[in-house]
Amino acid sequence: KNWTSSKEILNKDRTGTAYCIRKGRFRPHELVSDTSICIDGKSMEEIYKIFQKVKYFVSYDPDTYFSYMAVVYGCYSLRVEPEKPNDVTEIWGEQFENEPWIATRSDQLDQSWDSRKLLLQKFETSLSETMSNVENFYNFWFEKINGNSTQ
């Protein structure tokens, strides 16, 4: 768990930017340079190693799970607004309000870091609920099967 680590500790040796295009469309962005690492087509193991080294993650795909995972691994995460207006861009301003741990503009990066714990708590709660549901499922069927076998 790195969620109690300060921004300074987690970012101490991190440099550079990783990005993904996936279902989006690449265009110049101030955080993405010639030395930035595109994670498209890389294995999960490679991606998570990259997330442990870079400071920023930029996603041109508004719906990728990698934006969340970058936050978990300690990166600043930013989603680039889609180029062509559609249903997604009409509510783009609400994206940061709904998921404040992922910036939608560069000037939101520090604020998104401050909300990082909310995402980590959300994952922790989800894990606890999942474990409880699995245990309840197991107990239910264990009782049904053992109850039926003794009759």
Side-chain angles (χ1 to χ4, degrees):
K1 289 185 183 180
N2 65 18
W3 67 331
T4 57
S5 298
S6 71
K7 177 174 26 178
E8 293 74 26
I9 290 172
L10 273 177
N11 287 314
K12 183 180 175 200
D13 298 321
R14 292 173 181 261
T15 59
T17 301
Y19 67 96
C20 75
I21 300 169
R22 299 175 49 85
K23 296 173 283 198
R25 184 164 178 234
F26 182 84
R27 56 196 181 281
H29 189 276
E30 64 188 279
L31 293 174
V32 179
S33 70
D34 292 342
T35 60
S36 297
I37 304 165
C38 181
I39 65 166
D40 292 347
K42 297 196 181 301
S43 71
M44 297 302 283
E45 184 179 327
E46 289 175 291
I47 291 169
Y48 294 146
K49 284 181 181 178
I50 291 168
F51 284 166
Q52 292 172 337
K53 295 177 182 176
V54 298
K55 187 171 185 176
Y56 302 101
F57 175 69
V58 175
S59 175
Y60 291 91
D61 181 346
D63 298 316
T64 182
Y65 193 65
F66 290 126
S67 293
Y68 299 97
M69 294 315 299
V71 172
V72 169
Y73 275 85
C75 300
Y76 289 91
S77 188
L78 182 137
R79 282 191 195 125
V80 177
E81 183 172 358
E83 197 170 37
K84 295 182 180 180
N86 59 27
D87 291 341
V88 173
T89 57
E90 288 178 16
I91 59 165
W92 193 255
E94 297 172 18
Q95 292 285 330
F96 187 66
E97 292 175 26
N98 296 333
E99 299 176 332
W101 44 83
I102 300 174
T104 54
R105 300 186 321 259
S106 295
D107 65 347
Q108 296 171 331
L109 288 168
D110 284 329
Q111 189 179 349
S112 70
W113 185 274
D114 296 338
S115 300
R116 179 176 179 270
K117 284 186 180 180
L118 296 173
L119 176 63
L120 298 174
Q121 289 169 344
K122 183 177 179 173
F123 280 149
E124 191 72 29
T125 299
S126 179
L127 177 61
S128 292
E129 289 173 358
T130 299
M131 296 298 285
S132 176
N133 289 339
V134 169
E135 183 179 6
N136 290 339
F137 178 83
Y138 174 82
N139 290 339
F140 172 82
W141 284 106
F142 184 83
E143 290 173 18
K144 284 281 191 193
I145 291 169
N146 287 335
N148 288 341
S149 65
T150 59
Q151 295 178 353

